[in-house]
Amino acid sequence: KEIKYVKGIGPKRANKLSKLGIFTVSDLLFYFPRQYEDRNNLRKIFELKDEEKVTIRAIVSSIETSNVRKGLVITKVGVRDETGFARLVFFNQEYISSTLRKGDTVFVFGKVKKTSYGIEMSSCEVEQMSNNPKNTCGIMPIYPLTYGLTNKELINIVKTVFSNEQIYIKEYLPNKIIQKYKLCSIDFAVKNIHSPTNKESLKVALYRLVFEEFLMLQLGLFLFKNGVTEKSGVKFEKEQNLVKILNSLPFKLTNAQNRA
């Protein structure tokens, strides 16, 4: 099924996905993350260290937006917990001021920077507790991206597909191999590679997919080897007039060329 016909995707998003070679639901399912960030470890503001990436749970205490210059709008969101205060900094993301309100409890994932004004977090993602907090406070997949498509948007697209489509991937490996090497099903592997329920499910999914990749590579090498040994190579007829051709050359061959 073409990805643009999935409810909630549409032509605009489908066009972005096409730049990644994703045209169908199947393409999306097998477009795997390149790495993961574990956002389960919540930290208190008092514990934050410079330059580390962390997740905090805090309450919004203030929101300020200022036009610094043409083309640059900075939104600063003050947050606090029982141990301290921090400031979230957003560049050209004016929508933040309309999506957050004072008193909201939020999960924040971002990079810490200690300044003379206190603790700041930039390039951060914010999610309200009233929504599903697993996006920010779980194991976050990180996808290879293209211009105009954010990681959060691609995560939401994958979730939209799984929620709107009856997804079941039929097994194609022989049951003998699955049992011998203790592999999970391909359906379980694909679903948990995109949205792992915990670290163990991610480990099991990765094991299946990595095993499969090496298996296919090995089978390909065997097929290539058998093809080389079973088929004759290209036969070239001996040129009878080679001496005549060599004598007609406007230059003298080197010793190595003569041997060849």
Side-chain angles (χ1 to χ4, degrees), residues 206-247:
L206 284 170
Y207 177 71
R208 159 67 197 246
L209 295 172
V210 171
F211 177 91
E212 184 176 310
E213 185 175 346
F214 279 106
L215 175 63
M216 296 304 177
L217 175 63
Q218 193 69 28
L219 290 174
L221 291 174
F222 280 140
L223 287 172
F224 178 75
K225 183 178 179 180
N226 289 337
V228 170
T229 54
E230 291 178 0
K231 294 181 181 180
S232 301
V234 179
K235 184 179 179 181
F236 293 93
E237 297 293 335
K238 184 177 179 181
E239 175 57 60
Q240 299 298 325
N241 298 318
L242 183 59
V243 175
K244 184 178 179 181
I245 293 173
L246 293 177
N247 290 334

Side-chain angles (χ1 to χ4, degrees), residues 18 30 36 51 57 62 82 86 90 120 122 137 194 215 242:
S18 69
F30 286 88
Y36 298 84
E51 297 298 314
R57 176 180 172 177
S62 64
E82 65 272 22
F90 302 90
E120 288 188 354
S122 59
C137 196
H194 287 291
L215 175 63
L242 183 59

Side-chain angles (χ1 to χ4, degrees), residues 18-258:
S18 69
K19 297 175 183 177
L20 298 174
I22 300 172
F23 300 94
T24 66
V25 171
S26 179
D27 292 336
L28 181 67
L29 295 179
F30 286 88
Y31 189 79
F32 298 146
R34 58 181 172 82
Q35 65 184 59
Y36 298 84
E37 288 178 344
D38 187 357
R39 302 184 177 184
N40 283 300
N41 187 22
L42 283 173
R43 303 288 295 278
K44 299 295 185 183
I45 292 177
F46 179 77
E47 302 172 332
L48 301 184
K49 297 178 182 179
D50 194 34
E51 297 298 314
E52 67 176 346
K53 283 189 173 182
V54 297
T55 302
I56 65 171
R57 176 180 172 177
I59 297 173
V60 176
S61 57
S62 64
I63 303 173
E64 298 178 2
T65 300
S66 56
N67 292 286
V68 179
R69 63 172 185 270
K70 186 178 181 181
L72 178 59
V73 178
I74 298 179
T75 304
K76 297 179 180 179
V77 179
V79 295
R80 59 178 173 81
D81 64 10
E82 65 272 22
T83 68
F85 175 85
R87 184 166 53 183
L88 316 180
V89 182
F90 302 90
F91 299 95
N92 292 329
Q93 297 182 56
E94 298 96 317
Y95 66 88
I96 293 292
S97 59
S98 60
T99 56
L100 296 178
R101 295 180 179 180
K102 292 181 183 180
D104 283 351
T105 301
V106 294
F107 284 104
V108 183
F109 179 82
K111 189 174 183 179
V112 176
K113 183 177 182 181
K114 288 195 172 182
T115 70
S116 56
Y117 300 102
I119 294 175
E120 288 188 354
M121 293 179 69
S122 59
S123 302
C124 51
E125 296 178 25
V126 179
E127 190 164 349
Q128 294 169 292
M129 272 201 66
S130 57
N131 297 329
N132 179 8
K134 291 182 180 179
N135 280 358
T136 305
C137 196
I139 301 172
M140 179 70 73
I142 308 297
Y143 293 91
L145 299 171
T146 185
Y147 179 77
L149 185 66
T150 66
N151 192 68
K152 189 173 183 179
E153 187 176 6
L154 188 49
I155 288 172
N156 289 333
I157 289 172
V158 172
K159 289 194 173 187
T160 297
V161 169
F162 276 117
S163 63
N164 290 342
E165 298 292 308
Q166 296 294 327
I167 302 294
Y168 177 76
I169 304 172
K170 188 177 179 180
E171 186 58 67
Y172 42 77
L173 285 184
N175 193 50
K176 183 178 179 180
I177 291 179
I178 291 174
Q179 291 182 348
K180 181 178 180 180
Y181 295 100
K182 298 180 172 62
L183 304 175
C184 68
S185 69
I186 186 62
D187 184 68
F188 179 93
V190 169
K191 288 175 180 176
N192 279 274
I193 207 72
H194 287 291
S195 185
T197 53
N198 51 51
K199 290 182 180 180
E200 186 59 31
S201 65
L202 175 60
K203 183 179 178 181
V204 170
L206 284 170
Y207 177 71
R208 159 67 197 246
L209 295 172
V210 171
F211 177 91
E212 184 176 310
E213 185 175 346
F214 279 106
L215 175 63
M216 296 304 177
L217 175 63
Q218 193 69 28
L219 290 174
L221 291 174
F222 280 140
L223 287 172
F224 178 75
K225 183 178 179 180
N226 289 337
V228 170
T229 54
E230 291 178 0
K231 294 181 181 180
S232 301
V234 179
K235 184 179 179 181
F236 293 93
E237 297 293 335
K238 184 177 179 181
E239 175 57 60
Q240 299 298 325
N241 298 318
L242 183 59
V243 175
K244 184 178 179 181
I245 293 173
L246 293 177
N247 290 334
S248 67
L249 294 176
F251 55 86
K252 187 177 180 181
L253 296 181
T254 66
N255 291 332
Q257 289 172 333
N258 274 318

